[in-house]
Amino acid sequence: MGILSRASYIVRSKLNSVLNRAEDPNETLDYSYEQMRDQLQEVKQGIADLTTQKKRLEIQKRRLEENVEKHNEQAREAVRQDRDDLAREALEKKKSKMNEIEDLEAQIADLQQSQDRLVEKKDELQSQIEEFRTRKETLKARHDAAEAETRVSEAMTGAGDEMADVTRAIERSEERTEEMEARAEAMDELQDTGAFENALSDEDRIDRELEQGRTDGEVESELATLKSELGEGAEANGAEESAESTTESADADADTDAEADPEIESELEELRDEE
């Protein structure tokens, strides 16, 4: 066997294997049944066409027969009037029409024979279709039962493709769950160590609080200016706010002194002297 022959044999074998796996017996049976029904419909259409043609010829034959009778009457009337020439012409036309009638009768007979043969084939094909339909339904029922039994057996033994897919899905779900749990723990650890704070911004907590203090001071200053412009007792309010601020500052200093670290307070005092 040559290389090309071997290659062709392998390709045909692979294709045949793929087609066998893809083929659904139920679909194949249904398709064959529909094909037979289409053939039956074509035979019925052929019978209808033949019958139509036969009826058309029969109508034409009846008209010719009416003409033959008419020419008979014409010939009799011509004889009564001693017009042999007209009588002869009428008889000639009668003969011509009778010849046409004979031809039509032969054609009608042929069509009738063809129609009878098609009717026999139609009846035979219809009988075959009914027999095939019964066998088709029986085979489909057996196939469905065997397929269901196979699925149950595979599910019980875990050997089926669907069970393998379920097992792989469970494994993937467990892997992703473990990954998410590990990531959540990593985020918590980074949050606790302050790594996120340093990574997301160059400022630390002290810088942010100082910036907030400056922003609050600017807002209070602008608010005082607005009150002064509106003449709503800015001086009294300013004094009151100053007193409260002094009191709060004193309280804050007292609290700070109570809790402050001596080394930090010393360094803070040096910073104040530099300012």
Side-chain angles (χ1 to χ4, degrees), residues 232-268:
E232 296 178 353
E235 294 181 359
N237 292 335
E240 183 178 353
E241 292 175 359
S242 178
E244 292 178 356
S245 176
T246 302
T247 303
E248 293 176 356
S249 177
D251 293 339
D253 292 339
D255 294 337
T256 302
D257 292 339
E259 300 177 359
D261 188 334
E263 293 181 359
I264 294 177
E265 289 300 321
S266 175
E267 186 176 355
L268 181 60

Side-chain angles (χ1 to χ4, degrees), residues 188-212:
D188 293 340
E189 182 178 344
L190 292 173
Q191 184 68 32
D192 293 339
T193 58
F196 275 171
E197 183 179 61
N198 295 332
L200 297 176
S201 175
D202 293 336
E203 298 180 349
D204 58 11
R205 182 179 56 80
I206 298 174
D207 290 331
R208 290 195 294 272
E209 290 188 4
L210 291 174
E211 180 64 25
Q212 183 64 38

Side-chain angles (χ1 to χ4, degrees), residues 170-180:
I170 293 175
E171 292 176 353
R172 289 195 299 270
S173 178
E174 290 178 348
E175 292 176 357
R176 295 193 61 181
T177 301
E178 292 175 357
E179 181 181 354
M180 293 299 293

Side-chain angles (χ1 to χ4, degrees), residues 115-152:
Q115 179 180 336
D116 293 339
R117 287 194 299 269
L118 284 178
V119 169
E120 290 178 1
K121 290 183 179 180
K122 186 264 296 182
D123 294 338
E124 182 180 357
L125 181 58
Q126 192 162 5
S127 178
Q128 292 177 356
I129 290 174
E130 292 299 323
E131 181 180 356
F132 180 80
R133 185 179 67 84
T134 302
R135 294 184 60 189
K136 173 178 73 74
E137 295 302 326
T138 302
L139 290 172
K140 288 177 64 175
R142 290 176 56 191
H143 174 267
D144 292 342
E147 186 178 23
E149 185 176 357
T150 302
R151 286 199 302 266
V152 171

Side-chain angles (χ1 to χ4, degrees), residues 6-264:
R6 292 177 59 189
S8 176
Y9 177 78
I10 293 173
V11 170
R12 290 198 304 270
S13 299
K14 296 294 184 181
L15 289 175
N16 187 57
S17 177
V18 171
L19 291 175
N20 286 336
R21 289 195 299 269
E23 182 180 8
D24 185 351
N26 290 343
E27 292 181 357
T28 302
L29 290 171
D30 289 337
Y31 178 76
S32 299
Y33 178 69
E34 292 301 324
Q35 289 291 102
M36 295 179 69
R37 286 175 58 87
D38 291 341
Q39 292 176 2
L40 177 61
Q41 186 62 34
E42 291 177 0
V43 172
K44 289 182 178 180
Q45 184 63 44
I47 294 173
D49 293 340
L50 281 176
T51 304
T52 301
Q53 183 65 22
K54 186 184 69 172
K55 292 299 180 183
R56 185 180 296 111
L57 295 180
E58 289 176 349
I59 292 172
Q60 188 175 355
K61 175 188 171 184
R62 285 196 297 270
R63 290 177 179 174
L64 289 174
E65 290 174 344
E66 293 174 356
N67 288 333
V68 167
E69 186 62 29
K70 176 182 177 181
H71 293 320
N72 274 331
E73 292 296 329
Q74 289 175 341
R76 291 190 186 97
E77 182 65 22
V79 170
R80 283 194 293 267
Q81 296 182 14
D82 294 330
R83 294 290 307 273
D84 291 346
D85 55 335
L86 292 179
R88 187 177 291 105
E89 182 179 354
L91 291 174
E92 289 176 354
K93 289 183 177 180
K94 172 187 173 182
K95 184 179 179 181
S96 175
K97 297 296 189 300
M98 291 183 66
N99 290 334
E100 292 181 14
I101 290 174
E102 289 179 358
D103 292 338
L104 288 177
E105 287 177 345
Q107 295 180 31
I108 292 172
D110 291 339
L111 290 176
Q112 183 63 49
Q113 291 178 359
S114 298
Q115 179 180 336
D116 293 339
R117 287 194 299 269
L118 284 178
V119 169
E120 290 178 1
K121 290 183 179 180
K122 186 264 296 182
D123 294 338
E124 182 180 357
L125 181 58
Q126 192 162 5
S127 178
Q128 292 177 356
I129 290 174
E130 292 299 323
E131 181 180 356
F132 180 80
R133 185 179 67 84
T134 302
R135 294 184 60 189
K136 173 178 73 74
E137 295 302 326
T138 302
L139 290 172
K140 288 177 64 175
R142 290 176 56 191
H143 174 267
D144 292 342
E147 186 178 23
E149 185 176 357
T150 302
R151 286 199 302 266
V152 171
S153 299
E154 290 178 348
M156 294 295 293
T157 59
D161 294 337
E162 294 181 358
M163 184 59 66
D165 293 338
V166 170
T167 302
R168 287 194 294 270
I170 293 175
E171 292 176 353
R172 289 195 299 270
S173 178
E174 290 178 348
E175 292 176 357
R176 295 193 61 181
T177 301
E178 292 175 357
E179 181 181 354
M180 293 299 293
E181 291 174 348
R183 186 175 180 82
E185 293 179 1
M187 296 299 102
D188 293 340
E189 182 178 344
L190 292 173
Q191 184 68 32
D192 293 339
T193 58
F196 275 171
E197 183 179 61
N198 295 332
L200 297 176
S201 175
D202 293 336
E203 298 180 349
D204 58 11
R205 182 179 56 80
I206 298 174
D207 290 331
R208 290 195 294 272
E209 290 188 4
L210 291 174
E211 180 64 25
Q212 183 64 38
R214 287 193 294 270
T215 301
D216 293 342
E218 293 175 357
V219 172
E220 291 298 329
S221 176
E222 186 174 358
L223 180 61
T225 301
L226 291 174
K227 289 183 178 180
S228 176
E229 292 175 354
L230 295 174
E232 296 178 353
E235 294 181 359
N237 292 335
E240 183 178 353
E241 292 175 359
S242 178
E244 292 178 356
S245 176
T246 302
T247 303
E248 293 176 356
S249 177
D251 293 339
D253 292 339
D255 294 337
T256 302
D257 292 339
E259 300 177 359
D261 188 334
E263 293 181 359
I264 294 177

